[in-house]
Amino acid sequence: MNAQTPVRPAKRNLRSFWMRQFVAWHWISAAISLAAMLLFAVTGITLNHAATISAEPVVTQRTGQLPAPLVRRLTGSGAEPLAPVVADAVENAVGLDARGRAGEWSDGEVYVALPRPGGDAWISIDRTTGAVEAEVTDRGWIAWANDLHKGRNSGAAWFWFIDVFAVACVVFSITGLLLLYMHARRRPSTWPIVAAGLVLPLILAIFFIH
């Protein structure tokens, strides 16, 4: 007679079920977040060393002219955007899309700010003559990637992507922790290493951040 108590099939099957679930969700969340996690990890380094990474902004000036019939359409006020037909003409003139962007209307001009990741742009339209002036500033691809990291001026689609990516990272982390728990009995160093990963940032935050 075997002196050892056999593992109950129901308990073993339950453990196997949850193991399969954790592994599946772990690799699915890893696949979803892999590319973005690399981007955010690399830009974490570039942001941390932003003062030592030099970048010379490239500024481009552009000019154009609205057709006379459209000058009469410059009738907005407050933060009203340009009329769609005027925005189309502006894009044809200077290559910048101002559709739906808030304008700053004064007696003499309408000014539209067009901030973007890695740079900046603006459009100024003379309300009397229809003359269009524009300026585009490009700070390079590192600044572009850094602004994506921060979600700066990156639009609604990137805003929601960051949320989806963050949820995938949370799932990846939690399922990883659960897998560590399920294998911890065979790996005695598991919890000391996990504890070190928790305690080290706390020590740095409490004693070395001023």
Side-chain angles (χ1 to χ4, degrees):
M1 181 177 178
N2 192 345
Q4 293 182 342
T5 302
V7 178
R8 288 177 297 175
K11 185 177 180 180
R12 183 172 55 203
N13 291 340
L14 184 63
R15 177 184 172 84
S16 298
F17 169 80
W18 284 114
M19 179 72 76
R20 290 194 300 269
Q21 292 298 313
F22 295 154
V23 169
W25 283 103
H26 193 65
W27 78 256
I28 290 171
S29 59
I32 292 172
S33 61
L34 175 61
M37 193 177 296
L38 286 172
L39 170 66
F40 277 75
V42 171
T43 52
I45 296 172
T46 57
L47 282 168
N48 200 40
H49 296 272
T52 60
I53 300 175
S54 59
E56 190 68 28
V58 177
V59 180
T60 305
Q61 305 277 343
R62 303 176 186 177
T63 59
Q65 178 66 45
L66 289 181
L70 294 183
V71 177
R72 295 190 291 271
R73 299 292 300 271
L74 299 173
T75 57
S77 61
E80 185 179 344
L82 298 174
V85 65
V86 174
D88 290 342
V90 168
E91 184 174 16
N92 290 333
V94 295
L96 294 174
D97 184 5
R99 296 180 188 89
R101 298 296 190 101
E104 298 178 18
W105 297 80
S106 64
D107 293 338
E109 70 166 358
V110 54
Y111 174 89
V112 183
L114 300 170
R116 58 185 60 191
D120 202 358
W122 55 262
I123 298 167
S124 176
I125 308 171
D126 190 303
R127 297 182 68 175
T128 302
T129 65
V132 183
E133 294 183 5
E135 183 177 281
V136 179
T137 302
D138 184 359
R139 298 185 178 89
W141 70 269
I142 292 179
W144 175 80
N146 287 346
D147 283 346
L148 290 183
H149 183 111
K150 295 182 287 186
R152 177 181 178 270
N153 303 318
S154 49
W158 189 257
F159 171 88
W160 289 111
F161 169 76
I162 289 177
D163 279 354
V164 172
F165 164 66
V167 170
C169 287
V170 169
V171 173
F172 176 76
S173 299
I174 291 175
T175 52
L177 182 63
L178 292 170
L179 287 171
L180 286 174
Y181 169 76
M182 299 192 78
H183 290 289
R185 283 183 297 179
R186 294 193 298 271
R187 298 169 183 171
S189 62
T190 296
W191 297 125
I193 294 175
V194 172
L198 174 64
V199 172
L200 180 59
L202 286 176
I203 291 174
L204 294 175
I206 293 171
F207 295 103
F208 296 98
I209 296 179
H210 303 287

